[in-house]
Amino acid sequence: MSDDSARPRVLIAHATAHGSTLSIAERVADVLRRRGAQVAVRPCDDVADVHPYDAVVLGSAVHDMAWLPEALDLVRRERDALREHPVWIFSAGMPGALRGPWKLLAGREEPKVAGPALRELRPRDHRLFSGVIRPEHLPPGGRVSLRAMGLRYGDHRDWEAVDDWARRIADDLTRGGTGD
Ligand SMILES: Cc1cc2nc3c(=O)[nH]c(=O)nc-3n(C[C@H](O)[C@H](O)[C@H](O)COP(=O)(O)O)c2cc1C
């Protein structure tokens, strides 16, 4: 697609504490750009207005079963405008770091962590991706409880899962899924 007016403008807003949510946002952006979209990747705090965009992808790291405050602020601030847009949301957590019975937690966590965004924005889809978790990210108390859960520290990002999700978004946009 060479005519810019025909290329969907997509905002990918993210909230990150240690960078893995941003890396997922950038990966989604790469896929969408390859599929012809014009993509801006911005921290949630820097998003003043979503009106210039045709579609929005919103992602946050998960701390203590909830999105980071700056992502929740964006949902509150831009709720009405976001509801006029097709929105996809993702969370970056640690399902891939859990073992054994604790893995079951991940399925239960998925709808809970993005609760306010799911309720307020009615997104087309939500994914909980695995990010990166290192001991130095956690307070000492958190390290103790996560050790008890058999947490595996490390980089658990699943790029194939991220690419697959981004391709689905691109397919939806190509089918005219911008709601126009
Ligand atoms: C203080 C703290 C609390 C966390 N709490 C959760 C949680 O409740 N559920 C979860 O799935 N992941 C949790 N995580 C894991 C992070 O969400 C995960 O490492 C994510 O990739 C971090 O994204 P970021 O690198 O963009 O900050 C927590 C991480 C930290 C540092």
Side-chain angles (χ1 to χ4, degrees):
M1 266 186 261
S2 52
D3 175 9
D4 274 1
S5 65
R7 299 165 61 204
R9 292 154 300 174
V10 182
L11 169 67
I12 306 186
H14 61 86
T16 182
H18 296 103
S20 53
T21 309
L22 170 59
S23 69
I24 293 169
E26 286 174 336
R27 184 83 174 206
V28 173
D30 286 346
V31 172
L32 296 183
R33 285 190 189 112
R34 279 201 298 275
R35 295 283 295 267
Q38 306 173 72
V39 186
V41 179
R42 301 265 182 276
C44 287
D45 279 345
D46 286 0
V47 177
D49 183 7
V50 300
H51 281 108
Y53 302 96
D54 299 307
V56 178
V57 179
L58 174 55
S60 176
V62 178
H63 279 189
D64 304 324
M65 299 286 281
W67 273 16
L68 297 184
E70 53 269 40
L72 294 171
D73 281 351
L74 177 60
V75 171
R76 265 191 298 270
R77 223 171 43 237
E78 288 294 298
R79 188 191 82 134
D80 292 341
L82 283 166
R83 283 170 80 148
E84 293 166 10
H85 288 68
V87 173
W88 288 262
I89 65 176
F90 71 89
S91 305
M94 55 184 180
L98 301 174
R99 281 193 276 207
W102 295 105
K103 270 209 161 305
L104 295 174
L105 274 183
R108 290 197 212 131
E109 192 182 22
E110 182 150 359
K112 191 169 187 315
V113 290
L118 282 172
R119 278 193 304 276
E120 301 290 340
L121 307 183
R122 301 187 209 119
R124 296 195 173 194
D125 196 17
H126 169 233
R127 284 295 164 84
L128 171 60
F129 293 117
S130 297
V132 179
I133 180 91
R134 311 243 180 250
E136 60 271 24
H137 296 169
L138 295 163
R143 269 177 246 164
V144 171
S145 20
L146 290 174
R147 195 180 308 128
M149 292 167 70
L151 180 96
R152 291 176 303 142
Y153 291 110
D155 182 351
H156 299 284
R157 290 171 295 182
D158 177 347
W159 294 120
E160 190 41 51
V162 175
D163 288 348
D164 181 61
W165 190 64
R167 284 192 291 264
R168 284 163 194 259
I169 296 174
D171 286 346
D172 209 349
L173 289 171
T174 317
R175 279 195 298 266
T178 55
D180 294 337

